[in-house]
Amino acid sequence: METISISGDDRVFVLTGAGISAESGLATFRDSDGLWAGHAIEDVCTPEAWERNPELVWQFYSARREAAAEARPNPAHRALAELESRLGDRFFLCTQNVDDLHEKAGSRRLVHMHGELFVSRCSAECGRPPMVDDAVYASWSEVPRCPCGARMRPHIVWFGETPLEMERIREEIRRATVMLVVGTSGSVYPAANFVRLARQAGARTVYVGLERPLNAGAFTQIVTGKAGRMLPGLLAEAT
Ligand code: BV8
Ligand code: ZN
């Protein structure tokens, strides 16, 4: 059984994408029946889309809230939470996913670089902190207002917007000796570039996913297969 060698003085940076939540029943982006199948990115995942038709944007994210609320973590999420419990501060998890399945599996040392589904913030960026919000909004009139009067928007990083926690992420990549990337096609930046930064920092880079990603050339080890099936065994000997 192939394993990923992680030993005593290794620091592990993990990056996950939509593929890790596929076995939990959440659609990925690029699959034929993926999230983008029903909607053009431009209509639901850009600041321009929000200006043009904020009701449609809230309907898109409300549908994703309903789907994610039903979903349960799978063995891949749990294997990473288990690895965190063994490695402690030698472990860091960065996810592109906006679902909360990593948290449901017990992960704590993580950042959502593209935002979180069950969080909303002021669309006027008045400075008030984002708030936990699992409500679904079928019509614009239901969308709550910030105390400043502006409507709330999903706390999600749309295309053209700056990802969250980039300084922290860059710092963790610099310190990593192993980068493990799970279930991401390598098509969206800056996340798709992290593996190259890790290589430049001298780290071993491992990909686990259904198919070779677009940035396959930057990996020192590639294991193809379903993350829920592969990851527990691959990490079994990690210390
Ligand atoms: C920015 C939140 C400046 C929303 C998301 C031209 C060239 C290069 C870059 C650009 C360009 N033009 C524009 C850009 C920049 C743009 C970009 O990358 N565009 C792409 C389309 C070319 N990026 C941005 O705009 C970013 N911002 O650049 O700001 C900046 C830069 C640096 C520093 C400071 C500022 C913001 C991008 C974030 C957009 N928001 N998500 C939401 O979720 O609704 S991105 C969203 O799409 C996801 O979060 C994720 O990042 C991406 C989807 O990719 P994946 O997760 O990989 O999913 P995908 O479906 O593609 O693949 C799934 C994989 O899993 C497949 O490989 C499949 O084989 C595998 N799989 C399936 N089942 C399983 C499995 N693997 C294992 N097990 C299974 N069971
Ligand atoms: Zn406000």
Side-chain angles (χ1 to χ4, degrees), residues 18 23 29 61 64 96 114 157 160-161 184-185 189 211 227:
E23 291 155 86
F29 287 76
Y61 284 103
R64 295 196 38 209
Q96 299 167 79
H114 292 161
V157 177
E161 294 186 321
T184 180
S185 58
Y189 290 77
E211 60 206 322

Side-chain angles (χ1 to χ4, degrees), residues 2-56:
E2 186 168 8
T3 62
I4 300 170
S5 90
I6 295 171
S7 60
D9 44 21
D10 277 318
R11 291 191 64 83
V12 179
F13 180 105
V14 181
L15 174 70
T16 62
I20 198 170
S21 295
E23 291 155 86
S24 297
L26 296 185
T28 64
F29 287 76
R30 271 159 193 69
D31 279 3
S32 53
D33 59 352
L35 283 166
W36 302 143
H39 298 275
I41 289 182
E42 298 73 44
D43 295 341
V44 289
C45 201
T46 61
E48 296 75 22
W50 174 257
E51 292 315 315
R52 220 178 18 251
N53 187 344
E55 181 174 63
L56 174 66

Side-chain angles (χ1 to χ4, degrees), residues 6 9 24 50 61 78 85 107 119-120 127 130-131 190 200:
I6 295 171
D9 44 21
S24 297
W50 174 257
Y61 284 103
R78 288 196 288 277
S85 64
S107 289
V119 178
S120 300
M131 65 171 219
Q200 282 153 18

